[in-house]
Amino acid sequence: METTTVSNASVIALESLGKIYVFCYEQLRQVNVPVPPPEYIQRVLSNMLASAFGYAPPALQQFFQTLSQLPIQANIVPVLLALIVFYVVFSVVSALVRSVVRVVYGFIRFSLIVAMVGLVLAFIQQYYEFPMLQNAFGQWIQHQDQPGFQHTDQQQYVYHP
């Protein structure tokens, strides 16, 4: 008795799908529904799979070759345990990615809130005098409020030897 591998099981599954398509093709042809013939579908699908495998990275090709050599186990318990382990790993990785994204998003949101509060306080400081805000924003705002204060872009530099 030949051991069933993943590649043998894939061939059996594709043959079963082919038989299902042939049955549907015959039934639809009897009621005049245009459907591509099974030979055309088989040729297109085999070309697609061959080109996808041909253009796959070498590591992925090696993985597929190794996977096709694996025997299928008749015992379902190791398969279920492997699925549970993979689900736990997936959950941990997705939780880590989500937490990192939330930390970055929270930092950006907090920075924007602090900047907006600072802008509102600076705007309020121009019209009302709060001693606490005068120390926080320094002399720059006070100079802006003085009449006759003009900002010039040109600065004069004097050379002192």
Side-chain angles (χ1 to χ4, degrees), residues 39-87:
E39 298 81 20
Y40 177 75
I41 297 294
Q42 187 263 338
R43 187 175 66 240
V44 168
L45 286 178
S46 64
N47 287 340
M48 279 180 22
L49 291 175
S51 63
F53 183 75
Y55 288 115
L60 197 58
Q61 289 179 358
Q62 181 65 33
F63 175 73
F64 284 140
Q65 289 174 356
T66 306
L67 184 66
S68 67
Q69 302 292 325
L70 290 177
I72 295 178
Q73 296 181 1
N75 191 0
I76 195 71
V77 175
V79 174
L80 290 177
L81 289 176
L83 286 176
I84 290 171
V85 168
F86 285 140
Y87 178 72

mmCIF file of all heavy atoms in Angstrom, residues 39-87:
data_model
loop_
_atom_site.group_PDB
_atom_site.id
_atom_site.type_symbol
_atom_site.label_atom_id
_atom_site.label_comp_id
_atom_site.label_asym_id
_atom_site.label_seq_id
_atom_site.Cartn_x
_atom_site.Cartn_y
_atom_site.Cartn_z
ATOM 1 N N GLU A 39 -11.187 20.676 -20.999
ATOM 2 C CA GLU A 39 -9.795 20.638 -21.440
ATOM 3 C C GLU A 39 -9.164 22.019 -21.362
ATOM 4 O O GLU A 39 -8.001 22.165 -20.981
ATOM 5 C CB GLU A 39 -9.697 20.105 -22.885
ATOM 6 C CG GLU A 39 -10.180 18.691 -23.077
ATOM 7 C CD GLU A 39 -11.702 18.613 -23.209
ATOM 8 O OE1 GLU A 39 -12.335 19.642 -23.533
ATOM 9 O OE2 GLU A 39 -12.237 17.530 -22.961
ATOM 10 N N TYR A 40 -9.934 23.046 -21.727
ATOM 11 C CA TYR A 40 -9.428 24.420 -21.678
ATOM 12 C C TYR A 40 -9.159 24.851 -20.224
ATOM 13 O O TYR A 40 -8.121 25.429 -19.917
ATOM 14 C CB TYR A 40 -10.435 25.366 -22.340
ATOM 15 C CG TYR A 40 -10.036 26.816 -22.273
ATOM 16 C CD1 TYR A 40 -9.040 27.317 -23.095
ATOM 17 C CD2 TYR A 40 -10.649 27.677 -21.368
ATOM 18 C CE1 TYR A 40 -8.673 28.644 -23.026
ATOM 19 C CE2 TYR A 40 -10.286 29.000 -21.291
ATOM 20 C CZ TYR A 40 -9.294 29.484 -22.120
ATOM 21 O OH TYR A 40 -8.918 30.784 -22.043
ATOM 22 N N ILE A 41 -10.085 24.526 -19.350
ATOM 23 C CA ILE A 41 -9.923 24.871 -17.929
ATOM 24 C C ILE A 41 -8.705 24.156 -17.355
ATOM 25 O O ILE A 41 -7.906 24.744 -16.616
ATOM 26 C CB ILE A 41 -11.192 24.508 -17.129
ATOM 27 C CG1 ILE A 41 -12.382 25.319 -17.612
ATOM 28 C CG2 ILE A 41 -10.988 24.696 -15.643
ATOM 29 C CD1 ILE A 41 -12.278 26.797 -17.362
ATOM 30 N N GLN A 42 -8.527 22.875 -17.707
ATOM 31 C CA GLN A 42 -7.387 22.108 -17.198
ATOM 32 C C GLN A 42 -6.077 22.695 -17.705
ATOM 33 O O GLN A 42 -5.113 22.836 -16.948
ATOM 34 C CB GLN A 42 -7.534 20.644 -17.621
ATOM 35 C CG GLN A 42 -6.512 19.719 -17.030
ATOM 36 C CD GLN A 42 -5.346 19.440 -17.962
ATOM 37 O OE1 GLN A 42 -5.440 19.593 -19.180
ATOM 38 N NE2 GLN A 42 -4.237 19.045 -17.385
ATOM 39 N N ARG A 43 -6.029 23.093 -18.968
ATOM 40 C CA ARG A 43 -4.813 23.661 -19.538
ATOM 41 C C ARG A 43 -4.490 25.025 -18.903
ATOM 42 O O ARG A 43 -3.340 25.289 -18.531
ATOM 43 C CB ARG A 43 -4.968 23.797 -21.055
ATOM 44 C CG ARG A 43 -3.694 24.214 -21.754
ATOM 45 C CD ARG A 43 -3.821 24.227 -23.265
ATOM 46 N NE ARG A 43 -4.763 25.261 -23.687
ATOM 47 C CZ ARG A 43 -5.888 25.035 -24.372
ATOM 48 N NH1 ARG A 43 -6.206 23.814 -24.732
ATOM 49 N NH2 ARG A 43 -6.678 26.028 -24.714
ATOM 50 N N VAL A 44 -5.488 25.866 -18.726
ATOM 51 C CA VAL A 44 -5.264 27.195 -18.147
ATOM 52 C C VAL A 44 -4.810 27.075 -16.696
ATOM 53 O O VAL A 44 -3.858 27.740 -16.260
ATOM 54 C CB VAL A 44 -6.540 28.056 -18.276
ATOM 55 C CG1 VAL A 44 -6.435 29.319 -17.436
ATOM 56 C CG2 VAL A 44 -6.797 28.411 -19.719
ATOM 57 N N LEU A 45 -5.485 26.225 -15.923
ATOM 58 C CA LEU A 45 -5.111 26.077 -14.513
ATOM 59 C C LEU A 45 -3.715 25.479 -14.348
ATOM 60 O O LEU A 45 -2.950 25.913 -13.473
ATOM 61 C CB LEU A 45 -6.149 25.228 -13.777
ATOM 62 C CG LEU A 45 -7.480 25.912 -13.476
ATOM 63 C CD1 LEU A 45 -8.431 24.955 -12.787
ATOM 64 C CD2 LEU A 45 -7.274 27.152 -12.619
ATOM 65 N N SER A 46 -3.384 24.496 -15.179
ATOM 66 C CA SER A 46 -2.045 23.909 -15.060
ATOM 67 C C SER A 46 -0.975 24.918 -15.455
ATOM 68 O O SER A 46 0.090 24.974 -14.827
ATOM 69 C CB SER A 46 -1.945 22.643 -15.901
ATOM 70 O OG SER A 46 -2.096 22.968 -17.274
ATOM 71 N N ASN A 47 -1.230 25.750 -16.481
ATOM 72 C CA ASN A 47 -0.268 26.796 -16.847
ATOM 73 C C ASN A 47 -0.125 27.840 -15.748
ATOM 74 O O ASN A 47 0.982 28.303 -15.462
ATOM 75 C CB ASN A 47 -0.686 27.475 -18.154
ATOM 76 C CG ASN A 47 -0.452 26.596 -19.361
ATOM 77 O OD1 ASN A 47 0.339 25.658 -19.300
ATOM 78 N ND2 ASN A 47 -1.153 26.879 -20.438
ATOM 79 N N MET A 48 -1.251 28.204 -15.133
ATOM 80 C CA MET A 48 -1.189 29.186 -14.038
ATOM 81 C C MET A 48 -0.382 28.656 -12.860
ATOM 82 O O MET A 48 0.467 29.356 -12.306
ATOM 83 C CB MET A 48 -2.610 29.557 -13.567
ATOM 84 C CG MET A 48 -3.294 30.577 -14.440
ATOM 85 S SD MET A 48 -4.968 31.049 -13.930
ATOM 86 C CE MET A 48 -5.082 30.655 -12.250
ATOM 87 N N LEU A 49 -0.654 27.411 -12.464
ATOM 88 C CA LEU A 49 0.071 26.839 -11.329
ATOM 89 C C LEU A 49 1.550 26.656 -11.647
ATOM 90 O O LEU A 49 2.411 26.901 -10.795
ATOM 91 C CB LEU A 49 -0.562 25.511 -10.916
ATOM 92 C CG LEU A 49 -1.953 25.616 -10.278
ATOM 93 C CD1 LEU A 49 -2.524 24.233 -10.020
ATOM 94 C CD2 LEU A 49 -1.899 26.422 -9.000
ATOM 95 N N ALA A 50 1.856 26.236 -12.873
ATOM 96 C CA ALA A 50 3.258 26.042 -13.246
ATOM 97 C C ALA A 50 4.010 27.370 -13.271
ATOM 98 O O ALA A 50 5.149 27.461 -12.785
ATOM 99 C CB ALA A 50 3.351 25.359 -14.607
ATOM 100 N N SER A 51 3.383 28.414 -13.804
ATOM 101 C CA SER A 51 4.069 29.712 -13.831
ATOM 102 C C SER A 51 4.182 30.306 -12.427
ATOM 103 O O SER A 51 5.196 30.930 -12.098
ATOM 104 C CB SER A 51 3.354 30.675 -14.768
ATOM 105 O OG SER A 51 2.042 30.925 -14.305
ATOM 106 N N ALA A 52 3.168 30.104 -11.586
ATOM 107 C CA ALA A 52 3.252 30.600 -10.210
ATOM 108 C C ALA A 52 4.373 29.886 -9.459
ATOM 109 O O ALA A 52 5.133 30.509 -8.710
ATOM 110 C CB ALA A 52 1.920 30.410 -9.488
ATOM 111 N N PHE A 53 4.503 28.572 -9.661
ATOM 112 C CA PHE A 53 5.576 27.830 -9.006
ATOM 113 C C PHE A 53 6.934 28.202 -9.597
ATOM 114 O O PHE A 53 7.932 28.278 -8.898
ATOM 115 C CB PHE A 53 5.330 26.322 -9.131
ATOM 116 C CG PHE A 53 6.352 25.497 -8.424
ATOM 117 C CD1 PHE A 53 6.350 25.391 -7.050
ATOM 118 C CD2 PHE A 53 7.335 24.817 -9.134
ATOM 119 C CE1 PHE A 53 7.292 24.634 -6.389
ATOM 120 C CE2 PHE A 53 8.280 24.050 -8.487
ATOM 121 C CZ PHE A 53 8.267 23.959 -7.107
ATOM 122 N N GLY A 54 6.973 28.449 -10.893
ATOM 123 C CA GLY A 54 8.236 28.796 -11.555
ATOM 124 C C GLY A 54 8.769 30.161 -11.131
ATOM 125 O O GLY A 54 9.978 30.358 -11.040
ATOM 126 N N TYR A 55 7.872 31.107 -10.902
ATOM 127 C CA TYR A 55 8.300 32.454 -10.516
ATOM 128 C C TYR A 55 8.347 32.661 -9.008
ATOM 129 O O TYR A 55 8.666 33.759 -8.550
ATOM 130 C CB TYR A 55 7.372 33.505 -11.137
ATOM 131 C CG TYR A 55 7.568 33.650 -12.620
ATOM 132 C CD1 TYR A 55 6.560 33.303 -13.509
ATOM 133 C CD2 TYR A 55 8.768 34.122 -13.131
ATOM 134 C CE1 TYR A 55 6.739 33.428 -14.870
ATOM 135 C CE2 TYR A 55 8.959 34.245 -14.492
ATOM 136 C CZ TYR A 55 7.941 33.903 -15.358
ATOM 137 O OH TYR A 55 8.129 34.024 -16.706
ATOM 138 N N ALA A 56 8.038 31.641 -8.250
ATOM 139 C CA ALA A 56 8.101 31.748 -6.792
ATOM 140 C C ALA A 56 9.562 31.838 -6.347
ATOM 141 O O ALA A 56 10.467 31.340 -7.020
ATOM 142 C CB ALA A 56 7.433 30.540 -6.144
ATOM 143 N N PRO A 57 9.820 32.498 -5.202
ATOM 144 C CA PRO A 57 11.198 32.558 -4.696
ATOM 145 C C PRO A 57 11.728 31.152 -4.403
ATOM 146 O O PRO A 57 10.959 30.228 -4.119
ATOM 147 C CB PRO A 57 11.070 33.359 -3.399
ATOM 148 C CG PRO A 57 9.772 34.071 -3.495
ATOM 149 C CD PRO A 57 8.899 33.273 -4.390
ATOM 150 N N PRO A 58 13.049 30.980 -4.469
ATOM 151 C CA PRO A 58 13.616 29.638 -4.240
ATOM 152 C C PRO A 58 13.260 29.052 -2.870
ATOM 153 O O PRO A 58 13.049 27.842 -2.762
ATOM 154 C CB PRO A 58 15.123 29.857 -4.368
ATOM 155 C CG PRO A 58 15.278 31.099 -5.172
ATOM 156 C CD PRO A 58 14.077 31.936 -4.882
ATOM 157 N N ALA A 59 13.188 29.889 -1.857
ATOM 158 C CA ALA A 59 12.844 29.374 -0.530
ATOM 159 C C ALA A 59 11.426 28.812 -0.526
ATOM 160 O O ALA A 59 11.149 27.770 0.080
ATOM 161 C CB ALA A 59 12.986 30.479 0.511
ATOM 162 N N LEU A 60 10.514 29.484 -1.209
ATOM 163 C CA LEU A 60 9.134 29.018 -1.280
ATOM 164 C C LEU A 60 9.034 27.743 -2.119
ATOM 165 O O LEU A 60 8.265 26.831 -1.785
ATOM 166 C CB LEU A 60 8.254 30.122 -1.868
ATOM 167 C CG LEU A 60 6.765 29.996 -1.665
ATOM 168 C CD1 LEU A 60 6.424 29.925 -0.185
ATOM 169 C CD2 LEU A 60 6.054 31.168 -2.311
ATOM 170 N N GLN A 61 9.818 27.650 -3.189
ATOM 171 C CA GLN A 61 9.830 26.420 -3.986
ATOM 172 C C GLN A 61 10.339 25.246 -3.156
ATOM 173 O O GLN A 61 9.777 24.144 -3.213
ATOM 174 C CB GLN A 61 10.706 26.607 -5.221
ATOM 175 C CG GLN A 61 10.118 27.525 -6.256
ATOM 176 C CD GLN A 61 11.031 27.690 -7.455
ATOM 177 O OE1 GLN A 61 12.135 27.149 -7.502
ATOM 178 N NE2 GLN A 61 10.581 28.453 -8.441
ATOM 179 N N GLN A 62 11.384 25.486 -2.365
ATOM 180 C CA GLN A 62 11.915 24.428 -1.504
ATOM 181 C C GLN A 62 10.873 24.008 -0.469
ATOM 182 O O GLN A 62 10.715 22.825 -0.175
ATOM 183 C CB GLN A 62 13.196 24.913 -0.812
ATOM 184 C CG GLN A 62 13.838 23.879 0.092
ATOM 185 C CD GLN A 62 14.334 22.668 -0.678
ATOM 186 O OE1 GLN A 62 14.753 22.776 -1.815
ATOM 187 N NE2 GLN A 62 14.280 21.508 -0.046
ATOM 188 N N PHE A 63 10.143 24.997 0.059
ATOM 189 C CA PHE A 63 9.096 24.690 1.041
ATOM 190 C C PHE A 63 8.004 23.835 0.409
ATOM 191 O O PHE A 63 7.544 22.863 1.009
ATOM 192 C CB PHE A 63 8.505 25.991 1.597
ATOM 193 C CG PHE A 63 7.348 25.780 2.517
ATOM 194 C CD1 PHE A 63 7.542 25.284 3.795
ATOM 195 C CD2 PHE A 63 6.059 26.069 2.089
ATOM 196 C CE1 PHE A 63 6.460 25.078 4.639
ATOM 197 C CE2 PHE A 63 4.987 25.875 2.921
ATOM 198 C CZ PHE A 63 5.185 25.372 4.204
ATOM 199 N N PHE A 64 7.575 24.171 -0.821
ATOM 200 C CA PHE A 64 6.539 23.390 -1.495
ATOM 201 C C PHE A 64 7.020 21.978 -1.803
ATOM 202 O O PHE A 64 6.264 21.011 -1.689
ATOM 203 C CB PHE A 64 6.088 24.073 -2.779
ATOM 204 C CG PHE A 64 5.186 25.251 -2.549
ATOM 205 C CD1 PHE A 64 5.325 26.389 -3.314
ATOM 206 C CD2 PHE A 64 4.201 25.223 -1.576
ATOM 207 C CE1 PHE A 64 4.506 27.476 -3.116
ATOM 208 C CE2 PHE A 64 3.380 26.303 -1.364
ATOM 209 C CZ PHE A 64 3.528 27.436 -2.138
ATOM 210 N N GLN A 65 8.298 21.838 -2.198
ATOM 211 C CA GLN A 65 8.819 20.504 -2.470
ATOM 212 C C GLN A 65 8.877 19.672 -1.196
ATOM 213 O O GLN A 65 8.540 18.484 -1.201
ATOM 214 C CB GLN A 65 10.200 20.608 -3.104
ATOM 215 C CG GLN A 65 10.160 21.127 -4.523
ATOM 216 C CD GLN A 65 11.538 21.370 -5.099
ATOM 217 O OE1 GLN A 65 12.541 21.220 -4.404
ATOM 218 N NE2 GLN A 65 11.595 21.771 -6.360
ATOM 219 N N THR A 66 9.295 20.284 -0.103
ATOM 220 C CA THR A 66 9.330 19.567 1.179
ATOM 221 C C THR A 66 7.925 19.212 1.635
ATOM 222 O O THR A 66 7.677 18.116 2.141
ATOM 223 C CB THR A 66 10.031 20.429 2.249
ATOM 224 O OG1 THR A 66 11.313 20.809 1.768
ATOM 225 C CG2 THR A 66 10.179 19.680 3.557
ATOM 226 N N LEU A 67 6.993 20.154 1.445
ATOM 227 C CA LEU A 67 5.609 19.916 1.857
ATOM 228 C C LEU A 67 4.983 18.787 1.046
ATOM 229 O O LEU A 67 4.217 17.976 1.587
ATOM 230 C CB LEU A 67 4.799 21.205 1.685
ATOM 231 C CG LEU A 67 3.354 21.170 2.164
ATOM 232 C CD1 LEU A 67 3.319 21.000 3.680
ATOM 233 C CD2 LEU A 67 2.640 22.431 1.768
ATOM 234 N N SER A 68 5.315 18.695 -0.232
ATOM 235 C CA SER A 68 4.721 17.642 -1.055
ATOM 236 C C SER A 68 5.250 16.258 -0.691
ATOM 237 O O SER A 68 4.618 15.253 -0.990
ATOM 238 C CB SER A 68 4.971 17.919 -2.536
ATOM 239 O OG SER A 68 6.348 17.813 -2.822
ATOM 240 N N GLN A 69 6.414 16.185 -0.038
ATOM 241 C CA GLN A 69 6.991 14.902 0.357
ATOM 242 C C GLN A 69 6.433 14.392 1.695
ATOM 243 O O GLN A 69 6.613 13.229 2.025
ATOM 244 C CB GLN A 69 8.515 15.037 0.488
ATOM 245 C CG GLN A 69 9.197 15.502 -0.775
ATOM 246 C CD GLN A 69 9.139 14.465 -1.875
ATOM 247 O OE1 GLN A 69 9.195 13.282 -1.601
ATOM 248 N NE2 GLN A 69 9.013 14.916 -3.106
ATOM 249 N N LEU A 70 5.800 15.281 2.470
ATOM 250 C CA LEU A 70 5.328 14.882 3.802
ATOM 251 C C LEU A 70 4.187 13.872 3.704
ATOM 252 O O LEU A 70 3.271 14.044 2.909
ATOM 253 C CB LEU A 70 4.838 16.107 4.578
ATOM 254 C CG LEU A 70 5.897 17.090 5.035
ATOM 255 C CD1 LEU A 70 5.239 18.276 5.708
ATOM 256 C CD2 LEU A 70 6.874 16.439 5.982
ATOM 257 N N PRO A 71 4.252 12.830 4.520
ATOM 258 C CA PRO A 71 3.129 11.889 4.531
ATOM 259 C C PRO A 71 1.958 12.469 5.325
ATOM 260 O O PRO A 71 2.140 13.239 6.262
ATOM 261 C CB PRO A 71 3.701 10.652 5.225
ATOM 262 C CG PRO A 71 4.801 11.187 6.074
ATOM 263 C CD PRO A 71 5.347 12.390 5.362
ATOM 264 N N ILE A 72 0.772 12.097 4.909
ATOM 265 C CA ILE A 72 -0.428 12.532 5.624
ATOM 266 C C ILE A 72 -0.679 11.539 6.744
ATOM 267 O O ILE A 72 -0.729 10.327 6.522
ATOM 268 C CB ILE A 72 -1.633 12.599 4.672
ATOM 269 C CG1 ILE A 72 -1.387 13.684 3.639
ATOM 270 C CG2 ILE A 72 -2.910 12.874 5.438
ATOM 271 C CD1 ILE A 72 -2.480 13.820 2.623
ATOM 272 N N GLN A 73 -0.845 12.065 7.946
ATOM 273 C CA GLN A 73 -1.043 11.192 9.098
ATOM 274 C C GLN A 73 -2.512 10.813 9.214
ATOM 275 O O GLN A 73 -3.407 11.633 8.998
ATOM 276 C CB GLN A 73 -0.605 11.909 10.380
ATOM 277 C CG GLN A 73 0.863 12.235 10.408
ATOM 278 C CD GLN A 73 1.252 12.923 11.703
ATOM 279 O OE1 GLN A 73 0.427 13.133 12.562
ATOM 280 N NE2 GLN A 73 2.512 13.247 11.812
ATOM 281 N N ALA A 74 -2.725 9.562 9.571
ATOM 282 C CA ALA A 74 -4.091 9.092 9.763
ATOM 283 C C ALA A 74 -4.625 9.535 11.119
ATOM 284 O O ALA A 74 -5.830 9.635 11.312
ATOM 285 C CB ALA A 74 -4.146 7.569 9.647
ATOM 286 N N ASN A 75 -3.727 9.820 12.066
ATOM 287 C CA ASN A 75 -4.134 10.238 13.399
ATOM 288 C C ASN A 75 -4.403 11.741 13.369
ATOM 289 O O ASN A 75 -3.562 12.537 12.981
ATOM 290 C CB ASN A 75 -3.034 9.894 14.405
ATOM 291 C CG ASN A 75 -3.520 10.066 15.822
ATOM 292 O OD1 ASN A 75 -4.651 10.443 16.052
ATOM 293 N ND2 ASN A 75 -2.642 9.772 16.764
ATOM 294 N N ILE A 76 -5.573 12.142 13.809
ATOM 295 C CA ILE A 76 -5.976 13.542 13.724
ATOM 296 C C ILE A 76 -5.487 14.364 14.921
ATOM 297 O O ILE A 76 -5.419 15.588 14.831
ATOM 298 C CB ILE A 76 -7.517 13.636 13.585
ATOM 299 C CG1 ILE A 76 -7.973 15.020 13.126
ATOM 300 C CG2 ILE A 76 -8.189 13.300 14.890
ATOM 301 C CD1 ILE A 76 -7.654 15.318 11.719
ATOM 302 N N VAL A 77 -5.121 13.725 16.029
ATOM 303 C CA VAL A 77 -4.733 14.452 17.241
ATOM 304 C C VAL A 77 -3.487 15.322 17.014
ATOM 305 O O VAL A 77 -3.489 16.499 17.390
ATOM 306 C CB VAL A 77 -4.544 13.477 18.427
ATOM 307 C CG1 VAL A 77 -4.022 14.196 19.652
ATOM 308 C CG2 VAL A 77 -5.854 12.782 18.738
ATOM 309 N N PRO A 78 -2.417 14.841 16.391
ATOM 310 C CA PRO A 78 -1.271 15.723 16.163
ATOM 311 C C PRO A 78 -1.606 16.900 15.247
ATOM 312 O O PRO A 78 -1.087 17.998 15.427
ATOM 313 C CB PRO A 78 -0.222 14.826 15.509
ATOM 314 C CG PRO A 78 -0.599 13.447 15.854
ATOM 315 C CD PRO A 78 -2.083 13.461 16.014
ATOM 316 N N VAL A 79 -2.492 16.667 14.299
ATOM 317 C CA VAL A 79 -2.893 17.757 13.407
ATOM 318 C C VAL A 79 -3.653 18.822 14.192
ATOM 319 O O VAL A 79 -3.409 20.025 14.036
ATOM 320 C CB VAL A 79 -3.743 17.210 12.243
ATOM 321 C CG1 VAL A 79 -4.286 18.334 11.386
ATOM 322 C CG2 VAL A 79 -2.931 16.242 11.414
ATOM 323 N N LEU A 80 -4.562 18.403 15.053
ATOM 324 C CA LEU A 80 -5.303 19.364 15.877
ATOM 325 C C LEU A 80 -4.378 20.115 16.827
ATOM 326 O O LEU A 80 -4.517 21.330 17.019
ATOM 327 C CB LEU A 80 -6.408 18.658 16.653
ATOM 328 C CG LEU A 80 -7.586 18.149 15.819
ATOM 329 C CD1 LEU A 80 -8.578 17.407 16.698
ATOM 330 C CD2 LEU A 80 -8.261 19.300 15.107
ATOM 331 N N LEU A 81 -3.418 19.400 17.430
ATOM 332 C CA LEU A 81 -2.462 20.068 18.317
ATOM 333 C C LEU A 81 -1.614 21.081 17.552
ATOM 334 O O LEU A 81 -1.341 22.186 18.041
ATOM 335 C CB LEU A 81 -1.573 19.040 19.007
ATOM 336 C CG LEU A 81 -2.257 18.184 20.080
ATOM 337 C CD1 LEU A 81 -1.297 17.137 20.614
ATOM 338 C CD2 LEU A 81 -2.764 19.060 21.207
ATOM 339 N N ALA A 82 -1.208 20.728 16.339
ATOM 340 C CA ALA A 82 -0.431 21.666 15.527
ATOM 341 C C ALA A 82 -1.263 22.886 15.172
ATOM 342 O O ALA A 82 -0.764 24.021 15.205
ATOM 343 C CB ALA A 82 0.064 20.970 14.260
ATOM 344 N N LEU A 83 -2.544 22.685 14.856
ATOM 345 C CA LEU A 83 -3.413 23.826 14.563
ATOM 346 C C LEU A 83 -3.580 24.724 15.774
ATOM 347 O O LEU A 83 -3.585 25.959 15.651
ATOM 348 C CB LEU A 83 -4.781 23.330 14.073
ATOM 349 C CG LEU A 83 -4.829 22.775 12.662
ATOM 350 C CD1 LEU A 83 -6.222 22.237 12.358
ATOM 351 C CD2 LEU A 83 -4.464 23.852 11.663
ATOM 352 N N ILE A 84 -3.698 24.133 16.953
ATOM 353 C CA ILE A 84 -3.830 24.935 18.174
ATOM 354 C C ILE A 84 -2.555 25.726 18.426
ATOM 355 O O ILE A 84 -2.593 26.915 18.761
ATOM 356 C CB ILE A 84 -4.192 24.017 19.372
ATOM 357 C CG1 ILE A 84 -5.617 23.495 19.207
ATOM 358 C CG2 ILE A 84 -4.041 24.757 20.689
ATOM 359 C CD1 ILE A 84 -5.992 22.419 20.193
ATOM 360 N N VAL A 85 -1.405 25.087 18.245
ATOM 361 C CA VAL A 85 -0.128 25.789 18.444
ATOM 362 C C VAL A 85 0.014 26.932 17.441
ATOM 363 O O VAL A 85 0.411 28.040 17.794
ATOM 364 C CB VAL A 85 1.050 24.793 18.337
ATOM 365 C CG1 VAL A 85 2.375 25.514 18.242
ATOM 366 C CG2 VAL A 85 1.042 23.846 19.516
ATOM 367 N N PHE A 86 -0.328 26.667 16.176
ATOM 368 C CA PHE A 86 -0.253 27.735 15.169
ATOM 369 C C PHE A 86 -1.206 28.877 15.496
ATOM 370 O O PHE A 86 -0.884 30.041 15.292
ATOM 371 C CB PHE A 86 -0.538 27.195 13.775
ATOM 372 C CG PHE A 86 0.591 26.408 13.191
ATOM 373 C CD1 PHE A 86 0.346 25.268 12.464
ATOM 374 C CD2 PHE A 86 1.907 26.810 13.373
ATOM 375 C CE1 PHE A 86 1.393 24.534 11.924
ATOM 376 C CE2 PHE A 86 2.956 26.097 12.831
ATOM 377 C CZ PHE A 86 2.695 24.956 12.107
ATOM 378 N N TYR A 87 -2.395 28.556 16.017
ATOM 379 C CA TYR A 87 -3.344 29.600 16.383
ATOM 380 C C TYR A 87 -2.819 30.443 17.542
ATOM 381 O O TYR A 87 -2.967 31.663 17.548
ATOM 382 C CB TYR A 87 -4.705 28.996 16.732
ATOM 383 C CG TYR A 87 -5.701 30.041 17.151
ATOM 384 C CD1 TYR A 87 -6.238 30.918 16.215
ATOM 385 C CD2 TYR A 87 -6.079 30.176 18.480
ATOM 386 C CE1 TYR A 87 -7.128 31.888 16.585
ATOM 387 C CE2 TYR A 87 -6.968 31.156 18.862
ATOM 388 C CZ TYR A 87 -7.503 32.016 17.917
ATOM 389 O OH TYR A 87 -8.370 32.988 18.296
#
